[in-house]
Amino acid sequence: MSARETGRGGTRVDADELLPRVADGDHKAFEDLYALVSGPVYGLVRRVLRDPAQSEEVAQEVLLELWRTAGRFDPARGTALSWILTLAHRRAVDRVRSARAAGDRERRAAHRGEGPPFDQVAEEVEGSLEREWVRRCLERLTDLQHQALTLAYYDGYTYREVARRLSVPLGTVKTRMRDGLLRLRDCLGAAA
């Protein structure tokens, strides 16, 4: 998806031009920006969530958040489209984590109902063991995979920013992150 689209009247409209106007409360600029980015936002969210109904809901949340927080965009840190897609990715990942956490809570509650009462010490030990397992799995990654994932997921950098910070090509960062996530998934799956 290009960050440019032909607007009404045949002029070229750029997300980088529209976002500051949205921050100033320009409804027409928001309509144009919505038309420009709603497809890429939904596509990204759909790839993360896979469920069409939830994807539509999260995409709408992202676009509403865009209207409310457009003033936070800093053009010195990247393009408007990359910032918007970062918002979408984070919101989609949050939804996945929230759904997993809710499922885990329900399973734990059901399990607690069958067994002895809640044991706070056991809960803390379980959390500690999970963190330790994640740490060990991260240590099994290559240095570039570990650094790229840490910068992206813990520090919130975009792919481009990670590539700049590590002084490697953008494609290399994307490949290393994908490979690192696959290795983490396999490692953490073995722990389950």
Side-chain angles (χ1 to χ4, degrees):
M1 169 68 186
S2 169
R4 291 181 101 40
E5 180 178 275
T6 302
R8 296 181 191 141
T11 60
R12 300 288 282 173
V13 181
D14 188 317
D16 291 310
E17 297 165 7
L18 292 171
L19 198 53
R21 291 175 37 209
V22 171
D24 291 335
D26 183 342
H27 291 275
K28 171 68 174 85
F30 183 70
E31 286 177 23
D32 292 342
L33 185 63
Y34 186 100
L36 184 65
V37 302
S38 61
V41 166
Y42 176 78
L44 176 80
V45 171
R46 178 72 194 270
R47 282 192 300 276
V48 173
L49 296 178
R50 295 194 179 111
D51 176 62
Q54 279 198 35
S55 298
E56 287 176 12
E57 185 178 319
V58 170
Q60 287 302 316
E61 291 172 7
V62 168
L63 293 165
L64 179 61
E65 180 182 358
L66 180 60
W67 170 254
R68 289 191 307 235
T69 64
R72 294 183 189 166
F73 170 65
D74 180 4
R77 294 189 64 185
T79 67
L81 185 60
S82 67
W83 182 73
I84 293 166
L85 293 177
T86 299
L87 290 177
H89 184 262
R90 287 180 181 164
R91 181 65 63 109
V93 169
D94 286 347
R95 177 64 63 99
V96 169
R97 289 177 180 154
S98 176
R100 274 196 194 133
D104 290 346
R105 279 191 305 272
E106 289 174 10
R107 281 189 290 282
R108 284 194 302 267
H111 182 68
R112 271 188 238 123
E114 298 170 1
F118 174 72
D119 182 352
Q120 184 175 355
V121 173
E123 228 14 69
E124 289 175 12
V125 168
E126 181 180 318
S128 177
L129 290 173
E130 288 173 356
R131 285 188 296 279
E132 178 62 22
W133 192 260
V134 169
R135 189 186 61 73
R136 286 183 183 172
C137 288
L138 281 169
E139 288 174 356
R140 293 181 183 175
L141 301 177
T142 66
D143 285 341
L144 184 56
Q145 290 170 339
H146 186 273
Q147 290 171 335
L149 289 173
T150 300
L151 288 170
Y153 289 97
Y154 290 109
D155 297 337
Y157 289 102
T158 65
Y159 286 128
R160 287 189 198 287
E161 292 168 336
V162 171
R164 249 184 267 123
R165 290 184 67 88
L166 298 178
S167 301
V168 296
L170 178 61
T172 302
V173 165
K174 289 180 179 181
T175 300
R176 294 305 180 262
M177 287 180 67
R178 186 196 69 229
D179 294 346
L181 288 171
L182 290 172
R183 289 179 66 186
L184 274 177
R185 182 191 66 194
D186 293 343
C187 180
L188 293 172

